[in-house]
Every structure is written in structure tokens, then in C-alpha cells.
Amino acid sequence: MANPVDPLQQHSGEPQREHRPRVLKGGTVITGIQNSEIAVMLRNQHAGGAELKIPLEARVPDRFLLYVPLDGVAYRCEVRWRRNDRVGVQFTGTEPKPKLHYG
């Protein structure tokens, strides 16, 4: 006898969003322009990306390095979405701690 289909496991055809564990980590957006560091907070993070809380007046470019001291690395990021003081980024790689960062 076959098992009945679990209605909770049926998919509506919509893409599934990867679970992002909530975190509260400090980070720095480094754009490569002199004196261009922006302090941010990581609100959630997974292997492929994160959600950042940024100052409202900050201008974050579409591509940048995100240095996270707790992780000890800089993530190469591409912006996927923007909403008010939040930015969703996709990680495209990592680099060691940037030499220009003094934190």
C-alpha cells in the first residue's frame, strides 16, 4: 500500500527561498574608493548570501567587498535587492582580510 501524500510537502510551483539563519554581526562594506567604508549589520546569512541593514544615507554600489570580522574573511557581493535600509546580497566569492581595512 502506498503512503498518502503529505499536504504539507506539496509545492505550489513557487521557487523555494533558502532558509537564512538569523544573525547579528557587524560588517563593513568596502567599495575600493579611498575612505569608502560603510558600517553595516548582517541580519541573516547563509552560504550563498545575506541581508544587510545599512544606514539610510549610505550609497552601496551593486558590487563590493563585505568584510565580516567574526568570519575573518571578506565576501565578494552582488546586490540582489534593495528595500529602504535593507540590502540583499549574493556572495560570489571570498578574499582574505582586506589590507585597506583598519578594523
Side-chain angles (χ1 to χ4, degrees):
M1 184 159 123
N3 291 336
V5 175
D6 182 355
L8 295 177
Q9 296 203 5
Q10 290 180 351
H11 298 288
S12 64
E14 294 180 15
Q16 295 293 313
R17 181 175 160 181
E18 186 173 346
H19 175 69
R20 292 183 176 181
R22 292 179 189 257
V23 297
L24 190 58
K25 296 181 187 177
T28 304
V29 169
I30 303 170
T31 64
I33 300 169
Q34 189 174 10
N35 300 322
S36 64
E37 296 183 1
I38 303 166
V40 299
M41 292 298 295
L42 281 78
R43 300 296 304 215
N44 60 51
Q45 180 180 5
H46 62 91
E51 178 183 335
L52 311 178
K53 183 173 187 208
I54 62 169
L56 283 172
E57 70 279 359
R59 294 183 183 246
V60 175
D62 291 335
R63 291 188 175 96
F64 57 87
L65 278 180
L66 172 66
Y67 177 61
V68 181
L70 233 81
D71 296 350
V73 297
Y75 299 95
R76 285 191 304 271
C77 296
E78 289 185 13
V79 173
R80 305 304 288 168
W81 55 265
R82 298 172 191 265
R83 289 186 198 103
N84 301 319
D85 65 344
R86 306 292 169 115
V87 175
V89 297
Q90 177 180 359
F91 298 147
T92 59
T94 60
E95 295 185 12
K97 179 180 177 179
K99 294 176 182 167
L100 297 175
H101 182 75
Y102 300 107

